[in-house]
Amino acid sequence: MGTISKAPNVQIILYPQYPEVRISGFLKGCKSAPSELIRMRQEGRILFFGIRHNGTVLGYVTAHDSPLANEIRAKEDLKQTGVFRELPLTEQADSKTIVLRELGRIHRRGWIQGKRISKRGVIGCNSSNAGGYTLEAELGILPNGFSEPDFLGWEVKQHTVSRFGSTAGRITLMTPEPTEGYYREEGAEAFVRRFGAPDRIGRADRLNFGGIHHVDRRCERTGLTMVIHGYDFEKKAITETGGGICLIADNQEIAAKWPFAGIIAHWNRKHGRAVYVPSMCRKENSARFYQYASIVRMGEGTDVLLLLDALLNGQVYYDPGIKLEDASTYPKLKRRSQFRIKSADISVLYKKMTSESVI
């Protein structure tokens, strides 16, 4: 049985000029590194990665002519995600089958009263976004803000429709906070006071920062223009590692910025596989009930470049809902920086999109 040796200097480097991503540093500081296999650049060698429950990543490399390499090459049905092929460790049903089975169970339940999972257990929920919370509760998902898929490696996205079969409506893709610019430097409250506006329907002492922002179009409500710095649309390549998605003021000041590094990590990790579940809502005595569709859409194989293209094409847009209540007394801030897309356009973000029956 082999031993485990730490490789403390492994790093992933983006080279936008090629473009490519390289992983290196396996040997430096690693006491029992497979130096011969790593240094000789042997064509056909195979590198395995495995992730433990605690997040530790294990790596193992084997020679091109080893029995293990020959066995892996003989497997023609391995699912591919990006440059990686997934090697199932058990003979149980694959995650896609399990997800569809669970969604079928939820569909057959009919109308379900709004609820969500809290640290205290399952509690009732009657908020406007309870459709997503209710679906998560049925799947046993505790709401969180981590950039990880929701269920068995699949991101689960509920979206409300007026009737099943409709692709109308909008879907919130992600809600990352800006990590650079005025928003980060001066704080979200100062940002809303400067770029926000009084509530449009007259709610007293409230400031809102909202309005749809498309790339290269000035939003009249905020006076900001969304741009993408460091991406070549024609070459489909990131050309500046320090670039990102920015909101720019008329004086060219960066009001808010989402650097590429954070967007890449969030998008590729959380949206590699996603299932989009339509739901309908009805009210009974002020309580909300939800029913989930028998047909869902499943997207597989995404890439941050597809997201950037969709932003430049106007299909994905920034639609924040940030509010500052009791602004002149005891301010209460609610952050909601959301990127959205029309439901009918969701397929542009995936290399493969299928409609699947859950019954």
Side-chain angles (χ1 to χ4, degrees):
M1 183 174 180
T3 59
I4 296 176
S5 297
K6 291 184 178 180
N9 294 291
V10 171
Q11 57 184 339
I12 296 175
I13 307 172
L14 169 66
Y15 292 90
Q17 66 268 34
Y18 294 124
E20 68 180 29
V21 174
R22 298 178 187 174
I23 181 169
S24 63
F26 292 100
L27 303 182
K28 185 178 180 181
C30 184
K31 294 181 179 179
S32 302
S35 303
E36 183 177 345
L37 284 172
I38 295 293
R39 286 200 176 104
M40 67 191 305
R41 299 181 182 274
Q42 181 189 85
E43 184 176 352
R45 61 190 171 166
I46 298 177
L47 178 62
F48 296 85
F49 289 105
I51 304 175
R52 287 175 161 176
H53 292 298
N54 63 1
T56 302
V57 178
L58 300 179
Y60 181 85
V61 64
T62 187
H64 75 289
D65 56 353
S66 69
L68 177 57
N70 292 332
E71 181 181 348
I72 294 300
R73 277 193 289 270
K75 293 181 178 293
E76 299 179 351
D77 58 345
L78 295 180
K79 183 178 296 183
Q80 185 159 349
T81 302
V83 298
F84 296 101
R85 295 187 182 275
E86 296 182 31
L87 186 64
L89 299 180
T90 67
E91 296 299 322
Q92 67 180 23
D94 66 85
S95 63
K96 184 174 182 178
T97 300
I98 298 172
V99 169
L100 290 172
R101 183 188 303 156
E102 281 297 292
L103 293 176
R105 175 187 62 79
I106 295 168
H107 165 74
R108 289 189 292 273
R109 287 205 59 197
W111 291 97
I112 304 171
Q113 187 168 356
K115 59 184 175 180
R116 66 183 179 89
I117 296 180
S118 72
K119 294 180 179 179
R120 304 189 305 274
V122 179
I123 60 175
C125 183
N126 201 35
S127 63
S128 59
N129 59 347
Y133 285 137
T134 303
L135 181 59
E136 289 178 346
E138 283 289 321
L139 292 170
I141 301 168
L142 182 66
N144 64 72
F146 301 117
S147 298
E148 300 290 346
D150 292 323
F151 186 71
L152 297 178
W154 289 81
E155 175 73 357
V156 180
K157 287 287 187 183
Q158 169 271 345
H159 59 102
T160 303
V161 295
S162 58
R163 61 178 177 83
F164 290 141
S166 170
T167 56
R170 299 178 295 177
I171 296 173
T172 299
L173 295 170
M174 57 181 181
T175 57
E177 284 283 287
T179 57
E180 293 184 20
Y182 186 91
Y183 186 102
R184 180 59 182 264
E185 294 161 4
E186 302 298 328
E189 181 179 330
F191 177 88
V192 175
R193 291 187 184 279
R194 179 173 172 185
F195 298 107
D199 187 74
R200 299 177 82 184
I201 61 174
R203 283 170 288 197
D205 208 19
R206 170 169 160 167
L207 296 173
N208 297 326
F209 178 79
I212 292 177
H213 296 70
H214 286 100
V215 169
D216 295 333
R217 298 186 216 169
R218 186 178 186 275
C219 177
E220 294 300 323
R221 286 179 61 182
T222 65
L224 299 177
T225 303
M226 185 164 67
V227 300
I228 300 180
H229 284 160
Y231 178 66
D232 189 315
F233 181 71
E234 297 299 325
K235 295 180 179 179
K236 309 295 184 190
I238 292 173
T239 56
E240 297 177 26
T241 55
I245 303 168
C246 305
L247 295 179
I248 305 295
D250 290 340
N251 64 359
Q252 299 305 302
E253 178 184 6
I254 297 178
K257 180 178 177 180
W258 295 263
F260 285 140
I263 292 294
I264 290 171
H266 178 98
W267 183 257
N268 287 351
R269 179 184 299 174
K270 195 170 177 69
H271 291 270
R273 293 185 294 183
V275 55
Y276 294 88
V277 184
S279 72
M280 293 194 298
C281 175
R282 77 179 187 198
K283 290 185 179 180
E284 292 183 12
N285 299 323
S286 76
R288 297 175 190 263
F289 290 78
Y290 296 90
Q291 185 179 39
Y292 298 91
S294 63
I295 302 294
V296 300
R297 288 175 292 173
M298 305 189 87
E300 299 178 73
T302 190
D303 188 303
V304 74
L305 302 185
L306 295 176
L307 173 65
L308 296 178
D309 279 353
L311 278 161
L312 286 165
N313 287 327
Q315 293 156 314
V316 173
Y317 51 90
Y318 178 58
D319 186 16
I322 308 173
K323 64 181 181 181
L324 185 66
E325 297 176 309
D326 301 325
S328 65
T329 54
Y330 301 99
K332 295 191 291 287
L333 179 71
K334 181 178 180 181
R335 307 166 192 248
R336 185 72 173 174
S337 289
Q338 53 193 13
F339 289 84
R340 310 184 82 181
I341 189 171
K342 290 181 179 178
S343 174
D345 292 334
I346 196 67
S347 62
V348 303
L349 297 173
Y350 297 92
K351 297 172 184 176
K352 178 183 178 183
M353 173 69 74
T354 59
S355 293
E356 304 284 350
S357 173
V358 302
I359 57 176

